């Protein structure tokens, strides 16, 4: 076996080890585990400010999607190859049974039309949502990623569209401060506005 073949084999073996370790994890209530860029990351339940933004977002998005074929969901594993994420919120078919993974662990990334993350404090947490998950969602081809960043200067909302899986990047990135409305431009949540009612007013 050549060195290149050996390195590829080792990478595949490590992916499988991580996958099996993640599936076997039994975490205490209030924690969840994800596989992000080849590493298992364990996160606690967010602070009140985090949960309040997620609550307002889910409530507003639920009303916006009410009566249609899509719904807002949370607390569900999203699986792509050997990565696993638990987004704060995402939009998926109201009846997503056809997207459930064969092992029943979650939904495939192909089911997700929009994904939302709300940042938590701490360098590691911020890097996860701003960088690592941003690249992962692009790699999975999720059409729209919305990042509500309570810790970016005065607070910002960033809209990522046009995923480029081959580059782990996005065609368009639109960032605005709190107090400026952002409208989702495509998909089942097209026209949904993220503004002061969700993030709070512009900060001085």
């Amino acid at each position: 076996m050549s060195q290149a073949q050996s390195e590829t084999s080792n990478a595949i073996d490590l992916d499988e080890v991580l996958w099996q370790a993640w599936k076997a994890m039994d975490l205490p209530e209030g924690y969840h585990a994800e596989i992000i860029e080849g590493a298992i990351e364990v996160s606690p339940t967010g602070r009140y400010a985090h949960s309040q933004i997620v609550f307002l977002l889910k409530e507003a998005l639920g009303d916006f999607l009410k009566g249609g074929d899509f719904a807002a969901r949370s607390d569900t594993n999203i699986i792509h190859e050997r990565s696993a994420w638990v987004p704060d919120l995402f939009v998926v078919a109201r009846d997503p049974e056809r997207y459930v993974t064969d092992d029943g662990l979650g939904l495939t990334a192909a089911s997700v039309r929009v994904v939302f993350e709300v940042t938590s404090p701490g360098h590691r947490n911020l890097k996860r949502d701003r960088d690592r998950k941003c690249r992962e969602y692009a790699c999975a081809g999720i059409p729209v990623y919305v990042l509500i960043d309570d810790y970016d200067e005065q607070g910002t909302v960033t809209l990522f569209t046009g995923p480029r899986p081959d580059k782990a990047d996005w065609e368009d990135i639109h960032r605005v401060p709190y107090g400026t409305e952002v409208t989702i431009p495509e998909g089942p949540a097209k026209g949904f506005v993220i503004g002061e009612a969700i993030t709070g007013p512009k900060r001085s």
Side-chain angles (χ1 to χ4, degrees), residues 49-61 89 118 198:
H50 176 278
S51 68
Q52 180 66 0
I53 291 175
V54 174
F55 168 75
L56 293 171
L57 180 63
K58 187 173 184 179
E59 189 174 56
L61 189 56
L89 197 65
V118 179
I198 293 169

Side-chain angles (χ1 to χ4, degrees), residues 20-73:
Q20 295 301 329
W22 175 78
K23 291 201 297 183
M25 293 183 78
D26 184 15
L27 297 173
E29 186 176 352
Y31 288 82
H32 65 258
E34 302 173 285
I35 303 176
I36 305 172
E37 293 190 330
I40 295 176
E41 299 193 21
V42 177
S43 305
T45 300
R47 299 183 180 190
Y48 173 76
H50 176 278
S51 68
Q52 180 66 0
I53 291 175
V54 174
F55 168 75
L56 293 171
L57 180 63
K58 187 173 184 179
E59 189 174 56
L61 189 56
D63 288 342
F64 183 86
L65 296 170
K66 189 174 182 179
D69 295 331
F70 291 83
R73 286 180 174 257

Side-chain angles (χ1 to χ4, degrees), residues 16-143:
E16 182 63 22
V17 168
L18 285 170
W19 180 249
Q20 295 301 329
W22 175 78
K23 291 201 297 183
M25 293 183 78
D26 184 15
L27 297 173
E29 186 176 352
Y31 288 82
H32 65 258
E34 302 173 285
I35 303 176
I36 305 172
E37 293 190 330
I40 295 176
E41 299 193 21
V42 177
S43 305
T45 300
R47 299 183 180 190
Y48 173 76
H50 176 278
S51 68
Q52 180 66 0
I53 291 175
V54 174
F55 168 75
L56 293 171
L57 180 63
K58 187 173 184 179
E59 189 174 56
L61 189 56
D63 288 342
F64 183 86
L65 296 170
K66 189 174 182 179
D69 295 331
F70 291 83
R73 286 180 174 257
S74 58
D75 298 322
T76 304
N77 295 317
I78 301 301
I79 310 296
H80 178 66
E81 297 176 351
R82 284 294 187 262
S83 290
W85 319 299
V86 185
D88 287 319
L89 197 65
F90 60 95
V91 174
V92 67
R94 188 170 297 277
D95 181 11
E97 292 299 319
R98 66 185 182 278
Y99 293 110
V100 176
T101 57
D102 292 340
D103 52 18
L105 287 175
L107 298 172
T108 65
S111 68
V112 179
R113 298 295 179 264
V114 188
V115 64
F116 299 83
E117 296 287 1
V118 179
T119 59
S120 295
H123 178 75
R124 181 182 179 85
N125 293 330
L126 293 172
K127 291 288 285 184
R128 179 184 64 235
D129 292 335
R130 292 173 180 173
D131 299 328
R132 295 192 295 277
K133 276 193 170 182
C134 186
R135 290 190 292 265
E136 289 271 71
Y137 292 150
C139 285
I142 293 173

Side-chain angles (χ1 to χ4, degrees), residues 97-204:
E97 292 299 319
R98 66 185 182 278
Y99 293 110
V100 176
T101 57
D102 292 340
D103 52 18
L105 287 175
L107 298 172
T108 65
S111 68
V112 179
R113 298 295 179 264
V114 188
V115 64
F116 299 83
E117 296 287 1
V118 179
T119 59
S120 295
H123 178 75
R124 181 182 179 85
N125 293 330
L126 293 172
K127 291 288 285 184
R128 179 184 64 235
D129 292 335
R130 292 173 180 173
D131 299 328
R132 295 192 295 277
K133 276 193 170 182
C134 186
R135 290 190 292 265
E136 289 271 71
Y137 292 150
C139 285
I142 293 173
V144 180
Y145 174 35
V146 180
L147 176 64
I148 300 177
D149 195 337
D150 218 30
Y151 300 90
D152 182 5
E153 298 179 351
Q154 296 180 341
T156 60
V157 179
T158 306
L159 182 68
F160 300 85
T161 55
R164 300 180 62 189
D166 57 326
K167 302 290 186 180
D169 204 354
W170 301 83
E171 291 284 354
D172 186 65
I173 301 173
H174 180 58
R175 179 179 288 106
V176 301
Y178 283 7
T180 302
E181 292 186 344
V182 176
T183 303
I184 293 180
E186 62 181 86
K190 181 179 180 179
F192 178 70
V193 176
I194 303 164
E196 289 189 18
I198 293 169
T199 65
K202 180 178 180 180
R203 296 176 180 172
S204 59

